[in-house]
Amino acid sequence: MAMTGKCLCGAVTVTLEAKETVVDACHCGMCRKLTGGGPAFALHTETGARPQVAGEDAIRTYASSDWAERAFCGICGTPLWYRFVAQDFYSLSAGLFDPAEFDFRTQIFVEDKPNFYDFANKTKMMTGEEVVAAFTGGTG
């Protein structure tokens, strides 16, 4: 299924072929700063599957660690994706896409979740260490 989303100003359009519409919530400090305090909800590509992007000239990237980068619209600031560089694995901001029937399955960096919110959904819970190990082979 093809899903298309846009940044706030419309300068960047992202199209993703998704087998499932599964989203995860990340509670890490960087994601909370990007969202203004809550978790970042992300829709994932298959490893090595790149989203189609229009408006690449507006995209800015930031190497947020030795193993990952974040992209955002350089005009309006909308977070676009988080990418594990070695695996070429993209986590796209779920907020880019019009409301859809997303399946919320996993929360990551759960040790960083502040106490002012909780979810009623029953999800898999992963620590930051578990996430980094899964995507970097244990090196972070």
Side-chain angles (χ1 to χ4, degrees):
M1 153 176 53
M3 298 180 64
T4 299
K6 293 184 178 191
C7 65
L8 184 62
C9 71
V12 179
T13 300
V14 178
T15 302
L16 171 68
E17 280 295 329
K19 291 181 181 178
E20 299 181 289
T21 54
V22 175
V23 295
D24 297 337
C26 181
H27 302 287
C28 80
M30 282 189 260
C31 283
R32 287 186 289 114
K33 284 183 187 285
L34 283 171
T35 64
F41 286 92
L43 181 70
H44 308 290
T45 65
E46 297 292 320
T47 299
R50 291 178 171 232
Q52 295 176 341
V53 179
E56 289 188 32
D57 55 323
I59 297 173
R60 303 295 178 265
T61 58
Y62 169 66
S64 58
S65 68
D66 291 338
W67 40 273
E69 71 177 14
R70 295 170 185 271
F72 59 94
C73 174
I75 298 169
C76 67
T78 300
L80 301 171
W81 63 73
Y82 176 88
R83 182 172 76 98
F84 285 97
V85 177
Q87 292 82 1
D88 209 22
F89 176 84
Y90 289 76
S91 289
L92 291 105
S93 175
L96 294 172
F97 304 95
D98 289 332
E101 294 294 321
F102 290 127
D103 184 10
F104 178 29
R105 292 191 187 166
T106 307
Q107 296 181 59
I108 62 174
F109 286 84
V110 295
E111 71 278 15
D112 293 341
K113 187 187 87 52
N115 64 2
F116 62 84
Y117 64 82
D118 285 305
F119 297 109
N121 307 58
K122 298 293 182 205
T123 64
K124 179 178 179 180
M125 307 290 263
M126 294 179 72
T127 66
E129 186 176 327
E130 291 169 325
V131 172
V132 171
F135 284 97
T136 65
T139 62

